[in-house]
Amino acid sequence: MAQPLVAVRELRVGFRTKAGIVDAVRGVGFDLGREKLGIVGESGSGKSTVGRALMRLLPRSAAVRAERLAVCGTDVLTASDRTMRDIRGGRIGLIMQDPKYSLNPVVTVGEQIAEVFRLHRPEYAGKRAAREATLSILEQVKIRDPERVASLYPHQVSGGMGQRVMIASVLAGGPDVLIADEPTSALDVTVRLEVLALLDELVASRGLGLIFISHDLNLVRKFCDRVLIMYAGRVVEALAARDLGNATHPYTRGLLASMPHIHEPRDPLPTLVRDPAWREPA
Amino acid sequence: MSAASRPSQAPADEAGAEDHSERLAVLGRVAGRILSIVLTLLGLLLLTFTMGRLLPADPVLAITGAEVNKATYDRVYQELGLDRPVWEQFLTYLGKVLRGDLGVSATTGHSVLTDLAHVFPATLELAMVAVVTGVLIGVPLGIVAAVNRGKPIDHVARIIGLAGHSVPIFWLGLMALLLFYAKLHWVDASGRLSVFYEGMMEPVTGLLLLDTAMARDWDMFRDVVSHIALPGLLLGYYSVAYISRMTRSFVLEQLNQEYVVAARAKGLSTFQIVWRHVFKNIRVQLLTIVALTLGGLLDGAVLIETVFGWPGLGQYLTRGLTMNDMNVVMGAVLLTGTLFVTINLITDRLYKVLDARTR
Amino acid sequence: MSASAPVLQRPPSGARAALLRQLADGWHAYRQHVMGMVGLALVVLLLVVALFAPWIAPFDPNVQDLQQRLLPPSALYWFGTDHLGRDVFSRVVFGARTTVEIVLLVTIIVAPVGLVIGTTAGYAGGLVDEVLMRITDIFLAFPGLVLALGFAAALGPGLTNATIAIALTAWPPIARLARAETLSLRKADFIAAVRLQGATPSRIVLRHILPLCIPSVIVRVTLNMAGVILTAAGLGFLGLGAQPPLSEWGAMVSSGRQFMIDSPWVVAAPGLAIAAITLAFNLAGDALRDVLDPRGDR
C-alpha cells in the first residue's frame, strides 16, 4: 500500500484536570490500510481517546502531541478548522456506542442522515436528491421500510435499528475510514451479530479502513484482521488476529487466560494480576 | 421496540378492561388538575381577601372621608357588610369577584375593573418590549457564552448577567433618566405620551406602539417610542440577565451530550450544531424561561412604573397602597396573581404538548 | 482515570468529625473561587460596618443641618450631604445596619418556617402534604414584590413589618426544598430503625429528619438573600419599608429623587451600596453552588 489511510506516530494525549495533567495516551503508533484493525483494552486504557484524537474531537482540556497524526494524507494536528470539517464525515466517520445518545432525540432519523449528504456530497445537495439518497442508504443498511423509518424520531426506533441509522449517517459522507467505538456494546446480544455482519459487509464492499475499538478480545479476534492491545495509554502488543494465540506480552496472555472456555471448564477462573512494569515501555 | 415484548395474545376482555381503567385514570388526572387549579384560584382570592381585611385604614372612612357622623358611619359599615361574620364576608367577596365586580376605587371613583382594563395595556406594552428585548439579546448572548465557555465573551456575558441580578432596577432607572433625559435629552421622561398627544388616539388595542403604527401616525409613534424606550429596555435588561444565564446553562448541558460529538464527527460547524441540533433541544425549555420571565417582569414593572411615571398596573397598585384604597389593592393583586397562575399553567401545558411530540 | 477522592482515603471517625472534614474540604474548594472570595469579603465588610457603624460613621446620621444642604462630596462629607444637610456617608454606613437586620430577621423567620412545613409535608404525605403544598403553591403564585407589597401595606409601613412581609414571600421555595429532602430521607434505613424503636412521627421529623435538612436550607437561604435585599430596597423605595428618619438605602434613593438632577450623589451612593451588597451575595451564592455541585456550569 502506497500511503496508509491513517498514520499515527508517538501520539500522546494529556488531559488537564484539577489534580494536574493526566496522561491518557502515551506514545501510540500504528498505520491503517484498507483493513480491519482492532484496538482492545480495558476502560481507561486510552483506546477511545486515540479514535477521537484522529478526528480532533477531544475537548479543549486535552493536549494532543504526535510526531505524525495523519488521515488520508492530511495532518490532523495542523489542519485548519475548515479542512477538519471536510475530513470529519467526509474522509473519516465515527460510529459511537449507543444510538440512544448519539442520535439527536428531536431530529428525525432521515434528517440526521440527509444533512450529511448535503454537507459532504455536492451531488446530493438539493433537498430532493438528499432525500432520495437517504432512502437508498437506509435500504443499504437493510432497513425494510425506509420511507417510514426516515420520518421517525430516534426514540421510536429500536437499538439495533438506531445503530443501523447511525452507520447509514456515517456512510452518507462517503468516508474512506470508519472508527467504530464499541459499536455493539449497547445492543441486545441477539442484534449484535446482525449489526456486525452488516458492518463487515459494508466495509468489504466499499473497501474501507476500519478501526474497531472494543474491550472484547474474543469479538475482535474473530472480526478483525489485526489487533493492537492497549494498556495504560500504550500499545503493549500488536499482532495479526490469527496469531493472538502466540501473544507474548503477559497482559495479553493474562487477558486470554482469564477468558472462560466452554470445553475446558476451569475453576476458579484466573484473574488478571497487573504488573506496574507494563505501564512502562518494554 | 424491545425484543422481549409482553405476550401479545392477551384475552380481549382483559385488554378492554385495561383500556377502560386507563381512560378512567386519564379522566381522574384531568379532574385532579382542574380541581387543583380551582383550589389555587380560591387560595388566591382568600389571600387577597385577607390582605384587604388586614389593611390598617378604615374602609368606611376611605369612602366617607374623615368627618362623618355616627349614623352615616354605621350605615356605610353595614352596607360594606362589615358587621357580618368574616366567612360570610369572604363568600360575598367571592360572589362579587365571580360576577366581575371588584368594587369601586375610593380614589378614582371608577369601578376597579374599568380602571384595571385601562391601566393593564400600559403594563402589557412595557412587558412586551422587555420580553422581546430579553429574548433577542438574551438568547444569542447565552448561546455565544456557552459555545465560548471560559473565554472573554463568556465573562462579559456573566458580568452582564450578574449586574442584572444585582443592581436595583429603580436606581438604574433613575441613573438612566439622569443621563439620557437630563443630560443628553435623548428621550422623554414621564408617562406614555407627551401631553400634546394626550387623548388624540382612540385606543384600539390599548398598546400605543400598535395603535399609532396602525394609524400610520409616525410622529406620534416616534413620541411613543421616545417614552417607552428607556423603561422598556431597562426592564428588558433584567430579562436579558436571566434569559442569557439560563440559555447558557441549557446549551452547556446539551454540548455535553453524545449527539453533539456525533454531529461534530459528521463535520458540522459549531454554528450548524447549535442552530440545527442544540437549539431544537432547548426551545421548549426556553419557552418556559420566557414565560417565567414574563411573570417576574411584573415585579420590575411595579418599580419601573413608579420611576418613569408609567400609568400602568404597578403604579395603580402602589397608588392604591399609599392611599389605603382597599379595593384597588385587592383588585390589582388579584389580577397579578391570576395572570401569574395563568401564564404558568399555559407554559406547563405547552411544555407537555411540545415535549410529548418528540419524546 | 483520576485518583480516588481524598475524602475516601480518610475514614471518618464520627459523625461530627466527618461533618467538620466535609466543611473543611468545602472551604478548601471555596477558597479556590476568586469571585466567591470577593463576594464573601464584601459580605464580611457589610457585617463589620453594620456592627461598628457608630464608630465608622463620622457624623450622626440623623442630625440635620440646613446650612449644609446638598453639599457635593468633599474631604469632610465623603459622599456629600442630603437635602436636610445630613451626611450621606454616615447614613449609608448606618443603612448597612438596617440591611443586616433585614437579612438576619428574614433568615430567622424563613428557615424554621420552611423547614417545619416542608419536613412535615414530606414525612406525613397524603392529605397533609397535599394541603401544605397547595398553600405553598398559592404563595408562589404571586410575583415576590407584589405579594410583599400587599402584606407590607396590610401590616402597616415599618421595617419590622416589611421584613415579615418579605419573609412571608420567601418561605415557599425553602419549604419545597425541605420537602424534597425529606422525601428522599423518608425511605432511609436509619429512619426505619428509629421508627421500629417506637419513635413518634413528630419526634422522627424534629430530631432525625429536620436536622439533616438544615445544611441545604441554609445554603438555599443564602442563595436567595440577594433577592431578599433587592425586595427590601424596593419596599423602602416605595415608602413601605423603614420609615424616616431611619437610614435605609432604598428609602434614601427615594427621598433623594427630586434632588437628583443637581445633586446626583444623594441617589448614587445608597444605590451603589445596594448593588454592591447584592452583587456580593450573588457572587458568594454562585461560588457556593459551584462548590456544592461541581458538575454544574461555571
Side-chain angles (χ1 to χ4, degrees):
Chain A
M1 88 196 130
Q3 185 199 30
L5 291 170
V6 171
V8 181
R9 294 287 174 279
E10 273 300 303
L11 172 67
R12 293 174 177 276
V13 182
F15 287 98
R16 286 181 290 270
T17 68
K18 273 188 188 146
I21 291 183
V22 178
D23 289 315
V25 178
R26 308 182 300 156
V28 164
F30 63 88
D31 281 337
L32 176 78
R34 299 195 181 277
E35 60 180 329
K36 290 178 286 186
L37 173 70
I39 301 185
V40 182
E42 56 199 68
S43 37
S45 61
K47 53 191 196 301
S48 291
T49 309
V50 170
R52 304 225 169 161
L54 272 173
M55 300 181 75
R56 215 160 86 186
L57 278 177
L58 292 168
R60 259 185 274 158
S61 62
V64 183
R65 283 173 298 141
E67 273 174 26
R68 182 159 173 71
L69 187 66
V71 172
C72 303
T74 310
D75 185 356
V76 171
L77 290 178
T78 56
S80 69
D81 283 353
R82 172 82 246 159
T83 313
M84 271 323 289
R85 288 206 296 274
D86 286 340
I87 290 178
R88 287 189 207 121
R91 313 304 298 271
I92 180 167
L94 175 65
I95 299 165
M96 293 163 62
Q97 182 171 348
D98 193 342
K100 244 198 331 275
Y101 301 110
S102 51
L103 294 173
N104 188 337
V106 298
V107 177
T108 59
V109 159
E111 174 55 29
Q112 295 192 54
I113 299 172
E115 73 178 349
V116 181
F117 278 115
R118 290 200 298 266
L119 200 63
H120 292 291
R121 310 280 283 275
E123 68 270 31
Y124 300 120
K127 213 173 174 133
R128 171 167 299 185
R131 175 165 174 80
E132 270 160 22
T134 300
L135 295 181
S136 125
I137 202 147
L138 277 173
E139 238 165 62
Q140 290 172 47
V141 296
K142 309 221 158 65
I143 283 176
R144 249 162 297 163
D145 190 357
E147 290 267 2
R148 188 181 64 87
V149 172
S151 63
L152 295 179
Y153 287 95
H155 72 278
Q156 294 166 315
V157 303
S158 67
M161 198 187 272
Q163 201 61 311
R164 288 161 200 270
V165 168
M166 185 75 199
I167 293 172
S169 80
V170 168
L171 290 177
D176 296 310
V177 182
L178 284 187
I179 300 176
D181 192 347
E182 306 264 11
T184 57
S185 309
L187 303 182
D188 286 343
V189 181
T190 43
V191 270
R192 255 182 217 184
L193 291 176
E194 290 172 33
V195 170
L196 278 177
L198 173 71
L199 199 57
D200 194 32
E201 182 192 321
L202 290 167
V203 166
S205 67
R206 291 169 180 240
L208 307 180
L210 173 72
I211 298 178
F212 190 90
I213 298 170
S214 175
H215 62 272
D216 188 341
L217 191 57
N218 251 345
L219 178 67
V220 171
R221 185 184 206 171
K222 275 180 233 144
F223 188 71
C224 296
D225 307 321
R226 213 148 56 84
V227 184
L228 303 181
I229 315 287
M230 281 190 72
Y231 181 75
R234 234 179 257 293
V235 175
V236 293
E237 191 154 27
L239 65 181
R242 61 176 178 279
D243 295 337
L244 256 179
N246 308 324
T248 54
H249 195 277
Y251 178 64
T252 319
R253 299 222 57 88
L255 280 182
L256 290 168
S258 57
M259 251 172 325
H261 280 275
I262 198 158
H263 299 303
E264 328 161 15
R266 286 167 304 167
D267 193 33
L269 207 57
T271 39
L272 191 59
V273 182
R274 292 166 174 79
D275 184 346
W278 300 345
R279 303 179 62 87
E280 302 314 319
Chain B
M1 258 165 65
S2 78
S5 62
R6 66 192 165 87
S8 51
Q9 259 76 47
D13 55 327
E14 192 180 293
E18 202 170 85
D19 193 43
H20 188 65
S21 70
E22 221 164 74
R23 207 173 296 156
L24 266 182
V26 170
L27 221 66
R29 268 204 302 280
V30 170
R33 197 176 297 131
I34 291 174
L35 187 70
S36 106
I37 294 168
V38 169
L39 282 178
T40 308
L41 290 176
L42 212 60
L44 222 68
L45 283 163
L46 192 60
L47 206 62
T48 41
F49 175 74
T50 315
M51 222 178 251
R53 280 307 103 118
L54 279 174
L55 272 182
D58 190 326
V60 178
L61 294 185
I63 292 173
T64 58
E67 282 166 27
V68 58
N69 60 35
K70 180 87 170 71
T72 323
Y73 185 95
D74 285 346
R75 193 167 46 78
V76 176
Y77 191 83
Q78 278 183 14
E79 269 173 18
L80 288 176
L82 292 171
D83 54 337
R84 325 291 311 172
V86 176
W87 63 268
E88 219 182 298
Q89 291 183 34
F90 177 65
L91 286 186
T92 317
Y93 171 65
L94 197 65
K96 279 187 173 174
V97 170
L98 287 181
R99 271 178 276 125
D101 177 6
L102 296 176
V104 174
S105 159
T107 35
T108 65
H110 302 295
S111 95
V112 171
L113 200 64
T114 320
D115 279 349
L116 287 177
H118 192 68
V119 294
F120 182 64
T123 299
L124 186 65
E125 187 165 33
L126 203 57
M128 286 299 178
V129 172
V131 165
V132 170
T133 313
V135 171
L136 287 186
I137 301 178
V139 171
L141 188 66
I143 291 177
V144 169
V147 168
N148 297 292
R149 179 184 188 177
K151 291 186 185 163
I153 179 77
D154 185 23
H155 294 302
V156 170
R158 189 182 162 89
I159 290 167
I160 291 176
L162 267 173
H165 285 292
S166 304
V167 181
I169 190 168
F170 57 87
W171 182 73
L172 201 61
L174 289 174
M175 291 293 122
L177 272 180
L178 194 60
L179 181 64
F180 295 109
Y181 169 68
K183 299 270 188 275
L184 297 174
H185 307 291
W186 284 3
V187 296
D188 287 301
S190 148
R192 302 176 78 187
L193 270 179
S194 299
V195 184
F196 174 73
Y197 291 109
E198 210 73 67
M200 276 174 56
M201 177 66 62
E202 200 54 41
V204 181
T205 61
L207 306 175
L208 291 181
L209 282 173
L210 276 185
D211 284 353
T212 52
M214 283 191 306
R216 300 180 185 282
D217 187 340
W218 300 118
D219 287 334
M220 196 159 159
F221 182 77
R222 251 193 302 280
D223 189 63
V224 173
V225 169
S226 157
H227 279 86
I228 204 174
L230 216 46
L233 290 179
L234 278 176
L235 203 53
Y237 172 51
Y238 282 77
S239 27
V240 169
Y242 183 60
I243 292 177
S244 69
R245 190 187 170 115
M246 295 310 287
T247 308
R248 177 180 180 274
S249 78
F250 292 158
V251 173
L252 277 182
E253 192 192 325
Q254 293 297 321
L255 290 182
N256 284 329
Q257 303 290 319
E258 288 277 283
Y259 78 81
V260 171
V261 179
R264 285 224 290 149
K266 284 174 174 177
L268 266 66
S269 68
T270 306
F271 178 81
Q272 289 166 325
I273 291 173
V274 167
W275 184 243
R276 287 197 212 151
H277 287 270
V278 171
F279 196 74
K280 278 187 186 159
N281 276 286
I282 63 169
R283 56 189 176 186
V284 182
Q285 283 169 300
L286 281 182
L287 192 77
T288 318
I289 288 309
V290 171
L292 288 179
T293 319
L294 209 56
L297 281 177
L298 291 171
D299 258 1
V302 171
L303 291 166
I304 213 87
E305 284 180 8
T306 308
V307 171
F308 287 89
W310 192 263
L313 183 60
Q315 208 185 34
Y316 187 64
L317 171 64
T318 44
R319 264 212 195 128
L321 284 171
T322 45
M323 300 284 184
N324 273 315
D325 195 335
M326 187 176 81
N327 286 340
V328 167
V329 175
M330 288 166 73
V333 170
L334 187 63
L335 176 62
T336 329
T338 316
L339 275 176
F340 214 60
V341 171
T342 316
I343 291 172
N344 287 347
L345 214 68
I346 293 175
T347 319
D348 196 47
R349 288 311 303 155
L350 219 54
Y351 191 101
K352 293 214 174 92
V353 168
L354 290 176
D355 218 38
R357 225 175 29 138
T358 52
R359 252 168 251 254
Chain C
M1 210 80 151
S2 67
S4 62
V7 182
L8 297 176
Q9 290 167 352
R10 295 168 282 168
S13 50
R16 178 159 306 170
L19 184 68
L20 284 177
R21 191 160 303 132
Q22 233 179 346
L23 281 178
D25 285 345
W27 169 241
H28 185 75
Y30 188 93
R31 262 174 38 196
Q32 314 289 317
H33 212 287
V34 183
M35 295 317 271
M37 287 305 281
V38 172
L40 187 63
L42 277 169
V43 172
V44 171
L45 181 72
L46 174 82
L47 292 175
V48 169
V49 169
L51 203 58
F52 298 106
W55 291 276
I56 294 172
F59 295 93
D60 185 322
N62 297 326
V63 166
Q64 306 179 6
D65 182 353
L66 295 179
Q67 301 294 312
Q68 311 286 334
R69 302 181 69 228
L70 298 172
L71 293 180
S74 64
L76 186 59
Y77 302 110
W78 291 357
F79 293 170
T81 62
D82 68 5
H83 61 290
L84 296 172
R86 296 173 296 192
D87 178 39
V88 174
F89 177 70
S90 300
R91 288 184 68 72
V92 168
V93 166
F94 273 86
R97 276 201 161 178
T98 316
T99 302
V100 169
E101 266 173 49
I102 296 171
V103 165
L104 289 181
L105 203 57
V106 166
T107 312
I108 288 172
I109 300 174
V110 159
V113 170
L115 267 172
V116 168
I117 293 182
T119 49
T120 307
Y123 190 78
L127 189 66
V128 178
D129 184 29
E130 191 60 37
V131 169
L132 287 177
M133 281 305 109
R134 190 57 53 211
I135 295 174
T136 314
D137 282 350
I138 290 163
F139 276 84
L140 280 174
F142 289 96
L145 182 66
V146 171
L147 190 60
L149 268 178
F151 279 122
L155 297 170
L159 185 61
T160 315
N161 286 346
T163 312
I164 293 172
I166 295 170
L168 276 173
T169 67
W171 67 267
I174 307 297
R176 279 276 183 87
L177 177 73
R179 176 177 176 268
E181 295 254 316
T182 307
L183 285 180
S184 65
L185 284 172
R186 199 166 78 161
K187 299 259 163 64
D189 288 341
F190 76 93
I191 294 295
V194 178
R195 196 181 305 134
L196 286 176
Q197 284 167 17
T200 59
S202 64
R203 186 185 166 84
I204 294 175
V205 168
L206 289 177
R207 292 291 300 276
H208 296 279
I209 291 183
L210 199 140
L212 287 171
C213 299
I214 287 177
S216 52
V217 161
I218 295 289
V219 168
R220 186 56 167 274
V221 170
T222 316
L223 290 180
N224 292 354
M225 209 41 83
V228 164
I229 293 175
L230 280 182
T231 309
L235 286 182
F237 179 75
L238 294 172
L240 288 162
Q243 295 301 301
L246 193 65
S247 311
E248 197 274 329
W249 295 336
M252 286 171 73
V253 172
S254 173
S255 67
R257 257 178 95 179
Q258 53 191 123
F259 313 102
M260 175 180 79
I261 291 179
D262 296 315
S263 319
W265 55 88
V266 292
V267 166
L272 282 174
I274 303 169
I277 202 60
T278 314
L279 183 70
F281 272 107
N282 274 330
L283 288 175
D286 273 10
L288 214 53
R289 218 188 313 241
D290 284 352
V291 169
L292 296 174
D293 181 18
R295 65 182 173 75
D297 62 305
R298 294 178 64 158

